[in-house]
Amino acid sequence: MKANSSTLIKLLVLLCLSVLSVSQDFDFFYFVQQWPGSYCDTMTSCCYPTTGKPSADFGIHGLWPNYNDGTYPKNCDARSPYDPKKVADLGSGMQKNWPTLACPSGTGVAFWTHEWEKHGTCSESILDQHGYFQAALDLKKQVNLLQALTNAGINPDGGSYSLSSIKSAIQEAVGFSPWIECNTDTSRNSQLYQIYQCVDSSGKNLIDCPVFPRGKCDSEIEFPSF
């Protein structure tokens, strides 16, 4: 009886570990960058971090594990809370490249906590907490969206540009087609809001997107100033 009980316990432990492992599997990442001018122009509240107004550049919103069918895991490991000590050496880079404009924005810790605990924990089989944030910062350096657009004559000046020209400029610069998310301001103008790019499960290499999120922009969209 004791032997059978011991065997049963071992099987249950293996089953639990298997379920945990499956829950943390994913196929690719969405690397999402947000234009602050659109956020502050269309949201009911916009606050600058304690470090001051962010630079007029795309900021990281997140590195989100996804499945090829368009669904995604979330909140995968409650036992792995965000720990600022684990990313202490990345602090200045995160404040610059991963700012939050949601009120109250504070130092950014609340935002980073949300991103790690909702999304980052689902990639723990590949990236630990430090590796997760480092991967996002490295991708930001690799993908200079603002430069790609301005080099193509697409500037954050409040003007309108064709959606196709924005996609083409980014694809020419990085080699892969992005997905564009738009916001609508109070005048019903469609604005460039967020740009999604797909990354392999290592968190290092851009890839063609297996699936795009739902949503649609107008054929002409505004690129607001900030």
Side-chain angles (χ1 to χ4, degrees), residues 24 65 74-78 80-81 115-125 132:
Q24 294 184 352
K74 61 181 179 179
N75 304 110
C76 292
D77 189 359
S80 180
E115 290 300 309
W116 167 252
E117 294 180 358
K118 180 177 180 180
H119 300 289
T121 55
C122 299
S123 64
E124 281 183 306
S125 59
Y132 174 77

Side-chain angles (χ1 to χ4, degrees), residues 30-194:
Y30 281 131
F31 178 54
V32 186
Q33 295 190 68
Q34 181 183 92
W35 178 247
S38 181
Y39 183 95
C40 288
D41 200 24
T42 58
M43 296 297 177
T44 55
S45 58
C46 170
C47 296
Y48 297 156
T50 52
T51 51
K53 181 180 179 180
S55 60
D57 192 7
F58 286 90
I60 298 170
H61 186 172
L63 184 61
W64 302 341
N66 269 259
Y67 299 125
N68 287 336
D69 64 2
T71 61
Y72 60 91
K74 61 181 179 179
N75 304 110
C76 292
D77 189 359
R79 301 169 303 173
S80 180
Y82 176 76
D83 183 354
K85 294 178 182 178
K86 293 182 178 180
V87 292
D89 62 315
L90 303 179
S92 60
M94 288 167 65
Q95 287 178 336
K96 177 183 178 182
N97 297 292
W98 201 323
T100 175
L101 295 167
C103 299
S105 58
T107 60
V109 169
F111 185 29
W112 304 328
T113 297
H114 169 80
E115 290 300 309
W116 167 252
E117 294 180 358
K118 180 177 180 180
H119 300 289
T121 55
C122 299
S123 64
E124 281 183 306
S125 59
I126 304 296
L127 300 169
D128 61 15
Q129 190 170 142
H130 187 278
Y132 174 77
F133 287 99
Q134 183 69 70
L137 292 173
D138 289 344
L139 286 166
K140 175 70 165 58
K141 293 178 183 177
Q142 179 182 346
V143 180
N144 191 330
L145 291 177
L146 185 59
Q147 184 177 64
L149 293 174
T150 56
N151 284 350
I154 300 170
N155 301 295
D157 54 10
S160 291
Y161 300 90
S162 71
L163 179 63
S164 60
S165 67
I166 292 173
K167 289 182 177 180
S168 295
I170 296 171
Q171 182 169 7
E172 183 174 343
V174 303
F176 299 94
S177 181
W179 187 78
I180 309 295
E181 180 181 358
C182 294
N183 266 354
T184 303
D185 67 10
T186 55
S187 300
R188 307 306 299 169
N189 294 313
S190 184
Q191 295 184 324
L192 175 60
Y193 174 45
Q194 296 194 133

